Structures are given as structure tokens and as C-alpha cells.
Amino acid sequence: MEFSIKAGGLEKARSACTVIGVFEPRKLTEAAAALDRVARGYLTGIVNRGDMEGKSGATLLLHSVPDAPHERVLLVGLGRRNEFGEKQYRTAVAAAIKALAATGSPDALMHLTALPVAKRDAAWKVAHAVMVAMEAIYRFDRMKSKPQDETKCALRRLTLVVEKSGLRRAEAGLEQGLATAHGMNLARDLGNLPANVCTPGYLAEQAHQLAKRYRMKIQVLEREDMEKLGMGALLSVARGSTQPPKLIALQYQGADKKVKPVALVGKGITFDTGGISLKPAAEMDEMKFDMCGAASVLGTLKAVGEMRLPFNVVGVIPATENMPGGSATRPGDIVTSMSGQTIEVLNTDAEGRLILCDALTYAERFNPAAVIDIATLTGACVIALGHVATGLFANDDALARELLASGETACDRAWHLPLWDDYQEQLKSNFADFANIGGRPAGSVTAACFLARFTKNHKWAHLDIAGTAWKSGKEKGATGRPVPLLTQFLAGRARRR
Ligand code: BES
Ligand code: MN
Ligand code: ZN
């Protein structure tokens, strides 16, 4: 879809469909009132008859509105004016796009972007309109044998209306919103692909394509390289699989070499059976999503590359399957990580932390200003926070606050959980330096505590996206989170440099 921005004075502009808001109860917005004057009260009539109360997310499509320069007029409910905020704004845009997609309109003129949203400027409104629209029209039909006609959408061009004073900021918002949406789409596609297609080698191939397109440096470590580096933890997870593991490092340099990069480390388990500690059969298919951390790193790097962000970023992705098999790691096996610390693998299903710990040690060689890992790490995080917030842990409070604020702005929120040393006791092992699990209580915290033992030399944060990276049920599929949070974070760092 193509997006463009226009400012004010659009009474004469023509379109296949114009999109205007109605507040509850039955109150036309400015843009709607302007059109109503042209149409000599036609809209007022409709609203007064009770066909559009203005409830948040409701839509009403009108054809042949008298004297209107548009083939169609789409009324969109906004809820009560005094309750209209970020959530209602995004709901209205999403509802509008869904309604538009069901019409034959090739283009539309969207007035919702000119509505005031408390504390948010034109850049924010445009960026979110673009992200919400792209999210609403996203389809994954690559694995279907025939194109899906029912979900085809004629909408090609969307013009976003903003107030004149916000024109320049709106252009910036359009750039960031579109780059973020493209990054999310990549992350969603990779997440949605089945594990027999999206293997560690496939992820490496995708990284190569990004490197080529956006001029990034890339290294892919093979099994032998990992052996030389002593990545015993990562290798112990790969043992049961016939797919060769990969460790991908992508370097984006948009600022001077001297500027320390932010390192993003993404869990890339392309399928998690649990290994010898095998998972139950029900819903095991969803473990193809266990590489969504890796996908979010690639998606974020795509966004960064597309924006030509004046900043340095490194993406590190340990990628492997977690399979049972004759040479798979057994519960009780003890492995030596790249850091030299030994780990008793009490449960082979706690594999994410095992591949991440070596990747985190490897990331140190890039001398990062901060390291952020992103992982579908624990079922316990889904129990704690559901599918709303990503779990956030950090060894630095300022970094945690910065990430929380980025999540708020991006409408991709995280919640700060504790990483106190008191929890470290749960990882005690009678045989190795520590174990890879800490029992049922506070499962997300002990997983983070495990990672903290490998990140003492750097400012580090951990995002547990087990509840936010994908949806189950009827709308099963990857969400593209937390690409918006990460892109916003990096854009903020680039701006403040
Ligand atoms: N990939 C899973 C975490 C997960 C489970 C994410 C369900 C989303 C939904 C991870 O590798 C895992 O299996 N974690 C175990 C850890 C346990 C063995 C300590 C878990 O959460 O059960
Ligand atoms: Mn697991
Ligand atoms: Zn896993």
C-alpha cells in the first residue's frame, strides 16, 4: 500500500472514499461537519436517525452522498470525545481499514489523522495510522496453493490528512511508521513460516538478504566455529537435530565507527519440541514460533536499514532446533558455556537460555553500549502478563526506563519485573556451577537470573516475549512484536546522540 500526506483545505479533493469520524453520541467531527455542509445536512440526517451513534470502532459506508466529491463516504465511530485517546485512535483507524478493504475502493482520503490525540503530535498519529493499516491488511498466504480471493483488498493508496502546522513532523512519522511496518511484516512472515521451511539455514539466508539490501556486514558461524569458540551450551541444544545450527551476526553501521552499537540478541529456536524433556502434543505446533525473538531482530534491522538510521546496531542470532534423538542432550548432562561457566541441564526444554548465554558472551566482542535480548523464553511469562505486556528485566534501571517509555510510545508495551539476587538461589546445582532451571516459582525471573550471569560486563535488558510474539486460536499467527518497541528505542537513541 502507498501512503501520502496532505494538509487541510481539502473540501474539493476527490477520492474513491473519504473517511471521517463521528463522536458518541451522534456528534460530527470537523471534517464530517464540513462535508455535511456540502451535502446539505445529509450526514446529520443519518446520524439523527440513529444509524451511526459514534461507538468506538463502528463503521457505516455511504454511497452517492449528495454533492460530495467522493464515490463513497465512510463514517467511523470514535467513542466519547473526552475518552478519545491512543487506543481509541488506533481502534478507529483499524476499523476504517477493515471496512475499506471490503469495498472496491482503490484509494481513500483519511481524515482521522487530523483528530487531536492527547500528548501526541502529527508524527505519532501518522506513524500509528500507517502501522495499524499495514497490520490490518497483512495476510500470510505464501503456503496456500492458490491465492485467497476472499481476503484480497483493492485498497492501494491511502492519503492521510494532517493539520498544516504538522506537515513536516508527519513526513517523519510516515517514514518511521512505514519502516516499522515493513520490519513487522518480515518478523511476522518468518514467525508464520513452518519449521520445515524456516530452519536455522533459512534464517541465515534471510540475514544475508538483509545484509545485501541494506549494506550490512554479516558473519554466520557454523558448528565447527562454535566448537572452536567453546559454545558448549548452544551446541548442547543442537545435538538432537539434523539441521545444522547457525550463529548469525549482522552489523549495521549508520554512524561513526567510534559510536558503540546497541546489540540485539534474538532467540532463534526454529522448533522447540522440548528435546528429551519432551513437550506434550497439544499445541506443540506453536513452537514453530520459538524463533520470534530472532525474527524481531531481523525485522528491527530491516526497519533501521530502511530508515538509514544514523546509529550503529548489531544483531546476534543463535539459531537451532531443539529435538530429541540418539545424540540429544540428556537431563543431568553438564555442559561448559563459552564464558567458562558450567551448567547442569536439568530440563532440556529450558533450551532458550542455553543458546542465549553463548550468544550473549559472543556479543561482548562488539563492545556494545547496551545489549538487549529478545526471547520467547518462558510459559510462566504468559501466566504472569498474558498477551498484553512483554516481560522486561534489566541490570540497569535507566535502560529499563528507556525501554518502557519506547514501548509506551510504540503501543507495544513492556512491564518491568524484578531481577533480585534473592532469586539466584533457585539455580543452585550440586554438580555444576548452576542449573538451567529454578523450579516452578517465578519461572520467568529465574530464567532472567540465569541470563544475568552472562551479562555482568554490560548494560543489559531481557525481553520475554512468550506472551506477545504470537496469537493462538482462530487468529493464530505471529504479531511482529516487539519490532515497534525496539525500532522506537533505536530511533530515540539515534536522535539523542
Ligand atoms: N519456548 C518455551 C517457552 C514458551 C512456552 C513460550 C509456551 C510460549 C509458550 C521455552 O523453551 C520453554 O520450554 N520453557 C519452559 C522452561 C521450563 C522447562 C523451566 C517453560 O516455560 O515451560
Ligand atoms: Mn523449551
Ligand atoms: Zn523454547
Side-chain angles (χ1 to χ4, degrees):
M1 183 136 70
E2 261 176 57
F3 294 89
S4 58
I5 296 170
K6 275 201 180 133
L10 291 159
E11 292 73 18
K12 302 238 165 61
R14 292 177 175 281
S15 73
C17 187
T18 188
V19 182
I20 48 184
V22 178
F23 283 113
E24 196 180 354
R26 305 181 183 184
K27 295 245 175 15
L28 299 183
T29 53
E30 261 175 58
L35 185 63
D36 190 46
R37 282 191 292 276
V38 174
R40 278 163 292 148
Y42 187 82
L43 300 180
T44 305
I46 285 175
V47 162
N48 286 347
R49 264 174 256 132
D51 291 355
M52 169 47 86
E53 296 287 351
K55 291 229 180 304
S56 177
T59 57
L60 180 66
L61 183 67
L62 308 172
H63 295 271
S64 319
V65 171
D67 296 321
H70 314 284
E71 289 159 27
R72 305 168 188 81
V73 172
L74 182 65
L75 300 182
V76 182
L78 306 171
R80 296 189 176 270
R81 193 192 287 271
N82 59 356
E83 287 167 9
F84 188 73
E86 298 175 5
K87 190 169 195 287
Q88 292 74 13
Y89 173 77
R90 286 173 52 103
T91 301
V93 174
I97 300 298
K98 287 206 180 99
L100 280 169
T103 72
S105 290
D107 64 89
L109 185 62
M110 161 89 82
H111 285 273
L112 305 179
T113 32
L115 293 166
V117 177
K119 293 195 211 116
R120 297 303 185 190
D121 65 357
W124 186 95
K125 286 187 280 180
V126 166
H128 281 267
V130 171
M131 291 190 285
V132 167
M134 293 284 282
E135 218 171 314
I137 62 168
Y138 174 86
R139 293 290 176 277
F140 183 78
D141 47 18
R142 206 188 293 183
M143 305 305 291
K144 304 265 190 194
S145 60
K146 293 183 208 66
Q148 303 299 96
D149 285 342
E150 328 70 273
T151 64
K152 235 199 195 135
C153 155
L155 193 63
R156 288 282 162 273
R157 280 183 313 282
L158 192 61
T159 303
L160 307 174
V161 180
V162 298
E163 59 279 41
K164 260 211 184 72
S165 60
L167 204 53
R168 259 198 38 227
R169 295 285 301 131
E171 292 290 350
L174 175 57
E175 187 189 28
Q176 186 174 327
L178 203 53
T180 307
H182 290 153
M184 286 174 86
N185 281 358
L186 173 62
R188 294 179 84 175
D189 283 349
L190 292 173
N192 288 335
L193 280 172
N196 60 330
V197 175
C198 185
T199 57
Y202 186 89
L203 287 178
E205 178 55 36
Q206 292 297 306
H208 270 294
Q209 286 186 17
L210 279 184
K212 207 163 126 196
R213 178 143 176 212
Y214 301 105
R215 295 202 188 164
M216 303 180 194
K217 256 206 257 172
I218 179 165
Q219 293 159 287
V220 177
L221 304 190
E222 306 293 333
R223 193 192 299 271
E224 306 77 65
D225 305 312
M226 299 174 203
E227 278 163 4
K228 278 186 202 129
L229 287 166
M231 296 180 161
L234 169 51
L235 286 166
S236 77
V237 177
R239 290 181 62 90
S241 171
T242 52
Q243 292 291 337
K246 308 276 175 186
L247 189 126
I248 305 159
L250 259 179
Q251 285 172 270
Y252 169 83
Q253 198 197 316
D256 193 277
K257 269 205 175 82
K258 278 176 285 188
V259 178
K260 287 184 174 187
V262 164
L264 303 178
V265 179
K267 172 177 172 182
I269 294 289
T270 57
F271 197 80
D272 182 11
T273 64
I276 298 298
S277 314
L278 194 64
K279 285 184 182 295
E283 279 133 50
M284 206 209 274
D285 65 290
E286 295 192 6
M287 284 300 123
K288 72 172 181 176
F289 295 119
D290 213 17
M291 34 56 70
C292 282
S296 76
V297 171
L298 294 176
T300 302
L301 279 165
K302 182 179 175 67
V304 163
E306 208 173 289
M307 290 188 286
R308 297 165 181 265
L309 202 70
F311 198 65
N312 296 334
V313 187
V314 186
V316 178
I317 295 171
T320 175
E321 285 185 328
N322 184 25
M323 299 286 278
S327 45
T329 295
R330 294 152 289 253
D333 284 2
I334 293 175
V335 300
T336 304
S337 65
M338 184 180 174
S339 72
Q341 301 178 96
T342 61
I343 305 159
E344 186 182 13
V345 181
L346 287 176
N347 190 319
T348 64
D349 198 11
E351 85 296 340
R353 60 199 82 180
L354 293 173
I355 69 168
L356 286 169
C357 70
D358 281 342
L360 287 165
T361 302
Y362 187 75
E364 294 197 339
R365 67 182 52 203
F366 299 103
N367 193 20
V371 181
I372 303 163
D373 78 70
I374 307 101
T376 48
L377 204 63
T378 62
C381 194
V382 190
I383 302 305
L385 300 175
H387 305 287
V388 176
T390 290
L392 164 67
F393 301 83
N395 65 8
D396 182 88
D397 277 341
L399 177 60
R401 278 195 297 273
E402 200 179 338
L403 285 161
L404 286 174
S406 305
E408 291 285 345
T409 304
C411 294
D412 181 10
R413 286 183 294 187
W415 190 255
H416 196 175
L417 294 163
L419 193 63
W420 298 316
D421 272 343
D422 310 53
Y423 292 100
Q424 287 287 359
E425 284 168 33
Q426 289 175 236
L427 293 175
K428 270 202 180 128
S429 161
N430 284 352
F431 305 107
D433 292 348
F434 45 89
N436 77 326
I437 54 169
R440 300 240 307 153
S444 305
V445 182
T446 52
C449 282
F450 178 96
L451 298 176
R453 293 174 182 247
F454 298 84
T455 53
K456 296 219 165 94
N457 301 332
H458 288 101
K459 290 185 180 171
W460 159 76
H462 158 58
L463 296 172
D464 193 331
I465 56 167
T468 51
W470 77 87
K471 288 182 182 159
S472 310
K474 222 172 94 247
E475 291 188 11
K476 193 191 291 184
T479 61
R481 290 180 68 181
V483 171
L485 181 159
L486 293 169
T487 305
Q488 181 64 37
F489 172 83
L490 293 170
R493 285 244 162 162
R495 209 173 314 118
R496 275 180 282 109
R497 219 175 48 74

